[in-house]
mmCIF file of all heavy atoms in Angstrom:
data_model
loop_
_atom_site.group_PDB
_atom_site.id
_atom_site.type_symbol
_atom_site.label_atom_id
_atom_site.label_comp_id
_atom_site.label_asym_id
_atom_site.label_seq_id
_atom_site.Cartn_x
_atom_site.Cartn_y
_atom_site.Cartn_z
ATOM 1 N N VAL L 1 99.332 84.622 94.874
ATOM 2 C CA VAL L 1 100.597 85.195 95.318
ATOM 3 C C VAL L 1 100.568 85.490 96.812
ATOM 4 O O VAL L 1 101.539 85.255 97.525
ATOM 5 C CB VAL L 1 100.923 86.489 94.532
ATOM 6 C CG1 VAL L 1 102.238 87.090 95.004
ATOM 7 C CG2 VAL L 1 100.961 86.206 93.049
ATOM 8 N N ALA L 2 99.429 86.012 97.283
ATOM 9 C CA ALA L 2 99.334 86.415 98.681
ATOM 10 C C ALA L 2 97.902 86.236 99.179
ATOM 11 O O ALA L 2 96.948 86.198 98.397
ATOM 12 C CB ALA L 2 99.768 87.866 98.849
ATOM 13 N N TYR L 3 97.807 86.152 100.493
ATOM 14 C CA TYR L 3 96.534 85.976 101.178
ATOM 15 C C TYR L 3 96.382 87.117 102.174
ATOM 16 O O TYR L 3 97.353 87.498 102.829
ATOM 17 C CB TYR L 3 96.560 84.632 101.912
ATOM 18 C CG TYR L 3 95.374 84.358 102.792
ATOM 19 C CD1 TYR L 3 94.198 83.874 102.252
ATOM 20 C CD2 TYR L 3 95.435 84.579 104.160
ATOM 21 C CE1 TYR L 3 93.098 83.616 103.060
ATOM 22 C CE2 TYR L 3 94.350 84.324 104.982
ATOM 23 C CZ TYR L 3 93.186 83.838 104.413
ATOM 24 O OH TYR L 3 92.098 83.585 105.213
ATOM 25 N N MET L 4 95.171 87.669 102.264
ATOM 26 C CA MET L 4 94.910 88.762 103.196
ATOM 27 C C MET L 4 93.738 88.392 104.084
ATOM 28 O O MET L 4 92.798 87.729 103.634
ATOM 29 C CB MET L 4 94.584 90.041 102.412
ATOM 30 C CG MET L 4 95.739 90.515 101.545
ATOM 31 S SD MET L 4 95.221 91.536 100.145
ATOM 32 C CE MET L 4 94.694 90.303 98.978
ATOM 33 N N ASN L 5 93.814 88.813 105.327
ATOM 34 C CA ASN L 5 92.779 88.499 106.300
ATOM 35 C C ASN L 5 92.592 89.703 107.211
ATOM 36 O O ASN L 5 93.563 90.375 107.556
ATOM 37 C CB ASN L 5 93.215 87.277 107.121
ATOM 38 C CG ASN L 5 92.184 86.846 108.109
ATOM 39 O OD1 ASN L 5 91.014 86.738 107.791
ATOM 40 N ND2 ASN L 5 92.610 86.606 109.335
ATOM 41 N N ALA L 6 91.338 89.962 107.568
ATOM 42 C CA ALA L 6 91.078 91.067 108.496
ATOM 43 C C ALA L 6 89.877 90.725 109.365
ATOM 44 O O ALA L 6 88.966 90.017 108.943
ATOM 45 C CB ALA L 6 90.809 92.362 107.734
ATOM 46 N N SER L 7 89.914 91.227 110.576
ATOM 47 C CA SER L 7 88.754 91.140 111.454
ATOM 48 C C SER L 7 88.526 92.519 112.050
ATOM 49 O O SER L 7 89.474 93.230 112.378
ATOM 50 C CB SER L 7 88.951 90.092 112.550
ATOM 51 O OG SER L 7 90.047 90.420 113.353
ATOM 52 N N ILE L 8 87.246 92.878 112.148
ATOM 53 C CA ILE L 8 86.876 94.188 112.687
ATOM 54 C C ILE L 8 85.884 93.950 113.815
ATOM 55 O O ILE L 8 84.732 93.614 113.571
ATOM 56 C CB ILE L 8 86.214 95.077 111.625
ATOM 57 C CG1 ILE L 8 87.049 95.140 110.359
ATOM 58 C CG2 ILE L 8 85.986 96.481 112.187
ATOM 59 C CD1 ILE L 8 86.311 95.741 109.182
ATOM 60 N N PRO L 9 86.329 94.083 115.058
ATOM 61 C CA PRO L 9 85.387 93.959 116.163
ATOM 62 C C PRO L 9 84.465 95.175 116.205
ATOM 63 O O PRO L 9 84.872 96.277 115.826
ATOM 64 C CB PRO L 9 86.270 93.899 117.400
ATOM 65 C CG PRO L 9 87.579 94.454 116.991
ATOM 66 C CD PRO L 9 87.691 94.321 115.508
ATOM 67 N N VAL L 10 83.233 94.978 116.627
ATOM 68 C CA VAL L 10 82.289 96.093 116.727
ATOM 69 C C VAL L 10 82.878 97.148 117.656
ATOM 70 O O VAL L 10 83.280 96.850 118.781
ATOM 71 C CB VAL L 10 80.917 95.604 117.234
ATOM 72 C CG1 VAL L 10 80.003 96.789 117.514
ATOM 73 C CG2 VAL L 10 80.281 94.678 116.220
ATOM 74 N N GLY L 11 82.987 98.365 117.140
ATOM 75 C CA GLY L 11 83.507 99.471 117.936
ATOM 76 C C GLY L 11 84.998 99.420 118.174
ATOM 77 O O GLY L 11 85.523 100.187 118.971
ATOM 78 N N GLY L 12 85.702 98.533 117.471
ATOM 79 C CA GLY L 12 87.137 98.401 117.709
ATOM 80 C C GLY L 12 87.973 98.663 116.468
ATOM 81 O O GLY L 12 87.458 98.984 115.398
ATOM 82 N N ALA L 13 89.263 98.512 116.631
ATOM 83 C CA ALA L 13 90.204 98.725 115.538
ATOM 84 C C ALA L 13 90.374 97.429 114.743
ATOM 85 O O ALA L 13 90.350 96.340 115.316
ATOM 86 C CB ALA L 13 91.553 99.165 116.090
ATOM 87 N N PRO L 14 90.563 97.535 113.431
ATOM 88 C CA PRO L 14 90.730 96.334 112.625
ATOM 89 C C PRO L 14 92.084 95.684 112.862
ATOM 90 O O PRO L 14 93.062 96.341 113.214
ATOM 91 C CB PRO L 14 90.627 96.854 111.189
ATOM 92 C CG PRO L 14 91.110 98.258 111.268
ATOM 93 C CD PRO L 14 90.659 98.749 112.615
ATOM 94 N N ASN L 15 92.111 94.385 112.662
ATOM 95 C CA ASN L 15 93.352 93.613 112.692
ATOM 96 C C ASN L 15 93.527 93.074 111.281
ATOM 97 O O ASN L 15 92.725 92.260 110.821
ATOM 98 C CB ASN L 15 93.243 92.478 113.713
ATOM 99 C CG ASN L 15 94.474 91.621 113.748
ATOM 100 O OD1 ASN L 15 95.471 91.905 113.092
ATOM 101 N ND2 ASN L 15 94.417 90.556 114.507
ATOM 102 N N ILE L 16 94.555 93.550 110.578
ATOM 103 C CA ILE L 16 94.790 93.169 109.187
ATOM 104 C C ILE L 16 96.097 92.412 109.092
ATOM 105 O O ILE L 16 97.119 92.846 109.633
ATOM 106 C CB ILE L 16 94.852 94.423 108.279
ATOM 107 C CG1 ILE L 16 93.554 95.229 108.395
ATOM 108 C CG2 ILE L 16 95.119 94.034 106.832
ATOM 109 C CD1 ILE L 16 93.594 96.576 107.704
ATOM 110 N N SER L 17 96.066 91.267 108.389
ATOM 111 C CA SER L 17 97.299 90.513 108.197
ATOM 112 C C SER L 17 97.418 90.067 106.743
ATOM 113 O O SER L 17 96.426 89.987 106.025
ATOM 114 C CB SER L 17 97.358 89.301 109.130
ATOM 115 O OG SER L 17 96.314 88.403 108.835
ATOM 116 N N ARG L 18 98.643 89.799 106.351
ATOM 117 C CA ARG L 18 98.943 89.357 104.988
ATOM 118 C C ARG L 18 99.965 88.235 105.053
ATOM 119 O O ARG L 18 100.809 88.226 105.942
ATOM 120 C CB ARG L 18 99.551 90.492 104.170
ATOM 121 C CG ARG L 18 98.698 91.704 104.049
ATOM 122 C CD ARG L 18 99.525 92.853 103.454
ATOM 123 N NE ARG L 18 98.748 94.059 103.367
ATOM 124 C CZ ARG L 18 98.544 94.895 104.370
ATOM 125 N NH1 ARG L 18 99.065 94.648 105.547
ATOM 126 N NH2 ARG L 18 97.822 95.969 104.208
ATOM 127 N N ALA L 19 99.888 87.339 104.089
ATOM 128 C CA ALA L 19 100.887 86.274 103.985
ATOM 129 C C ALA L 19 101.270 86.138 102.517
ATOM 130 O O ALA L 19 100.397 85.948 101.663
ATOM 131 C CB ALA L 19 100.334 84.954 104.507
ATOM 132 N N ILE L 20 102.531 86.285 102.231
ATOM 133 C CA ILE L 20 103.020 86.093 100.862
ATOM 134 C C ILE L 20 103.258 84.605 100.685
ATOM 135 O O ILE L 20 104.016 83.987 101.439
ATOM 136 C CB ILE L 20 104.297 86.907 100.608
ATOM 137 C CG1 ILE L 20 103.967 88.397 100.724
ATOM 138 C CG2 ILE L 20 104.891 86.578 99.246
ATOM 139 C CD1 ILE L 20 105.161 89.309 100.717
ATOM 140 N N GLN L 21 102.605 84.029 99.689
ATOM 141 C CA GLN L 21 102.671 82.592 99.482
ATOM 142 C C GLN L 21 103.651 82.189 98.384
ATOM 143 O O GLN L 21 104.101 81.052 98.350
ATOM 144 C CB GLN L 21 101.275 82.058 99.172
ATOM 145 C CG GLN L 21 100.344 82.277 100.354
ATOM 146 C CD GLN L 21 98.918 81.969 100.019
ATOM 147 O OE1 GLN L 21 98.348 82.583 99.138
ATOM 148 N NE2 GLN L 21 98.356 81.015 100.721
ATOM 149 N N ASN L 22 103.931 83.112 97.470
ATOM 150 C CA ASN L 22 104.865 82.822 96.386
ATOM 151 C C ASN L 22 105.817 84.016 96.278
ATOM 152 O O ASN L 22 105.494 85.016 95.638
ATOM 153 C CB ASN L 22 104.095 82.587 95.081
ATOM 154 C CG ASN L 22 104.982 82.135 93.945
ATOM 155 O OD1 ASN L 22 106.101 82.616 93.806
ATOM 156 N ND2 ASN L 22 104.470 81.233 93.126
ATOM 157 N N VAL L 23 106.962 83.895 96.913
ATOM 158 C CA VAL L 23 107.921 85.007 96.987
ATOM 159 C C VAL L 23 108.438 85.395 95.607
ATOM 160 O O VAL L 23 108.595 86.577 95.302
ATOM 161 C CB VAL L 23 109.096 84.657 97.936
ATOM 162 C CG1 VAL L 23 110.142 85.757 97.925
ATOM 163 C CG2 VAL L 23 108.585 84.440 99.337
ATOM 164 N N GLU L 24 108.679 84.417 94.755
ATOM 165 C CA GLU L 24 109.194 84.707 93.413
ATOM 166 C C GLU L 24 108.196 85.557 92.617
ATOM 167 O O GLU L 24 108.568 86.562 92.020
ATOM 168 C CB GLU L 24 109.481 83.400 92.668
ATOM 169 C CG GLU L 24 110.100 83.602 91.295
ATOM 170 C CD GLU L 24 110.395 82.287 90.603
ATOM 171 O OE1 GLU L 24 110.813 81.332 91.296
ATOM 172 O OE2 GLU L 24 110.199 82.224 89.382
ATOM 173 N N LEU L 25 106.922 85.153 92.618
ATOM 174 C CA LEU L 25 105.907 85.947 91.922
ATOM 175 C C LEU L 25 105.716 87.303 92.585
ATOM 176 O O LEU L 25 105.486 88.306 91.905
ATOM 177 C CB LEU L 25 104.572 85.201 91.882
ATOM 178 C CG LEU L 25 104.420 84.136 90.812
ATOM 179 C CD1 LEU L 25 103.060 83.458 90.923
ATOM 180 C CD2 LEU L 25 104.602 84.725 89.427
ATOM 181 N N PHE L 26 105.804 87.350 93.900
ATOM 182 C CA PHE L 26 105.700 88.634 94.604
ATOM 183 C C PHE L 26 106.808 89.579 94.143
ATOM 184 O O PHE L 26 106.550 90.740 93.821
ATOM 185 C CB PHE L 26 105.776 88.437 96.118
ATOM 186 C CG PHE L 26 105.825 89.736 96.875
ATOM 187 C CD1 PHE L 26 104.675 90.479 97.086
ATOM 188 C CD2 PHE L 26 107.024 90.230 97.367
ATOM 189 C CE1 PHE L 26 104.707 91.686 97.773
ATOM 190 C CE2 PHE L 26 107.075 91.427 98.054
ATOM 191 C CZ PHE L 26 105.910 92.161 98.260
ATOM 192 N N ASN L 27 108.028 89.089 94.119
ATOM 193 C CA ASN L 27 109.161 89.934 93.740
ATOM 194 C C ASN L 27 109.065 90.433 92.302
ATOM 195 O O ASN L 27 109.452 91.569 92.016
ATOM 196 C CB ASN L 27 110.482 89.192 93.956
ATOM 197 C CG ASN L 27 110.833 89.065 95.423
ATOM 198 O OD1 ASN L 27 110.420 89.886 96.242
ATOM 199 N ND2 ASN L 27 111.576 88.029 95.765
ATOM 200 N N THR L 28 108.537 89.620 91.396
ATOM 201 C CA THR L 28 108.444 90.046 89.997
ATOM 202 C C THR L 28 107.194 90.876 89.709
ATOM 203 O O THR L 28 107.119 91.516 88.665
ATOM 204 C CB THR L 28 108.499 88.842 89.031
ATOM 205 O OG1 THR L 28 107.443 87.935 89.351
ATOM 206 C CG2 THR L 28 109.832 88.134 89.103
ATOM 207 N N ASN L 29 106.231 90.860 90.618
ATOM 208 C CA ASN L 29 104.979 91.605 90.429
ATOM 209 C C ASN L 29 104.649 92.469 91.640
ATOM 210 O O ASN L 29 103.483 92.700 91.953
ATOM 211 C CB ASN L 29 103.824 90.624 90.181
ATOM 212 C CG ASN L 29 104.028 89.796 88.942
ATOM 213 O OD1 ASN L 29 103.772 90.246 87.846
ATOM 214 N ND2 ASN L 29 104.515 88.573 89.125
#
């Protein structure tokens, strides 16, 4: 339904992203 990705640089703030791949399944779940 969705994909998640994150990177955490040493001593830094995380960068988190998400991509919804199936909108219909996302909406029903």
Side-chain angles (χ1 to χ4, degrees):
V1 180
Y3 174 82
M4 297 156 279
N5 182 47
S7 61
I8 309 167
V10 172
N15 178 5
I16 302 171
S17 63
R18 301 169 182 82
I20 296 171
Q21 297 171 300
N22 186 321
V23 175
E24 184 179 322
L25 279 178
F26 174 78
N27 287 333
T28 57
N29 299 279

